[in-house]
Amino acid sequence: MTRIIAGRAGGQRLHSVPGSATRPTTDRVKESLFARLDAWGMCDGARVLDLFAGSGALGLEAASRGASTVTLVERAGAAAKVCRANAEILRAACPDTKITTVQSAVAGYLGRAPFHRWDLVLVDPPYPLENDELASTLVPLADRLGPGGVVVVERSARTEEPAWPAGLRRFEASDHGETRIWYLEAEHDAAAS
């Protein structure tokens, strides 16, 4: 069972996806990730997209910390069901956050979703997903980040850094035991700063 670390729903327990197909982000990694995002002012009022959402724990952590909208995208039916149940748990503590669960493959969702600008995109794909497939999945995000928007990619620390698609560049990385996190921004944002 995972939990919300901090914010309006801090301490709230969330349902986990049954079975071993989904790998939840540990509390320690989540704490470190969101401490960094909070220091950058990334959650409060943010439009958040959680791709490969699993139980929705990352997107819902952002909701607890003040995100205005959170969209959880998960292909697997059992995991999408858990996302919806966890979103219901958060609605009482975060009534001002619009939380939506979409059952879809990530590439399909990004290809057909209405045009939105996201401030924070959380990407925690299955570890077996090849880097080339991950990079091609991220292509549409370069033009869909709001000003100062950040894409966070969580992978195994044993995985080589992907060749990021044109339009996105890594500006920071951090290691947490078996987990590596890369932080990306749109190249036009990098040029403007």
Side-chain angles (χ1 to χ4, degrees):
M1 178 142 317
T2 67
R3 65 186 178 93
I4 299 295
I5 302 294
R8 294 175 286 183
Q12 178 64 57
R13 294 203 174 276
L14 299 175
H15 301 289
S16 297
V17 178
S20 60
T22 301
R23 170 196 39 79
T25 301
T26 66
D27 283 353
R28 186 175 66 85
V29 171
K30 203 174 356 172
E31 271 185 85
S32 178
L33 165 63
F34 279 93
R36 185 166 293 193
L37 294 174
D38 284 345
W40 296 337
M42 292 303 305
C43 291
D44 194 35
R47 297 158 297 182
V48 177
L49 179 63
D50 185 352
L51 302 175
F52 306 98
S55 68
L58 291 178
L60 296 174
E61 184 73 35
S64 180
R65 293 170 187 251
S68 63
T69 65
V70 175
T71 303
L72 308 171
V73 180
E74 174 54 54
R75 179 180 67 183
K81 183 178 178 181
V82 171
C83 281
R84 284 189 285 277
N86 285 336
E88 283 304 315
I89 291 170
L90 265 280
R91 281 198 176 91
C94 308
D96 297 335
T97 302
K98 180 183 178 195
I99 304 170
T100 306
T101 300
V102 179
Q103 185 176 346
S104 172
V106 167
Y109 172 78
L110 291 174
R112 72 174 185 285
F115 189 82
H116 292 292
R117 293 243 182 237
W118 290 292
D119 302 306
L120 176 60
V121 181
L122 303 163
V123 184
D124 186 7
Y127 282 177
L129 185 75
E130 295 293 329
N131 276 347
D132 290 345
E133 187 178 349
L134 171 62
S136 67
T137 300
L138 299 178
V139 167
L141 295 177
D143 293 329
R144 298 185 74 176
L145 289 177
V150 172
V151 178
V152 177
V153 179
E154 180 181 334
R155 299 284 274 164
S156 167
R158 296 180 206 154
T159 303
E160 287 186 29
E161 182 171 1
W164 304 113
L168 290 176
R169 73 164 199 94
R170 176 182 57 81
F171 67 91
E172 196 161 323
S174 60
D175 287 325
H176 310 273
E178 289 295 312
T179 302
R180 176 167 293 137
I181 298 177
W182 287 293
Y183 300 87
L184 314 173
E185 65 184 352
E187 286 180 342
H188 57 80
D189 276 357
S193 52

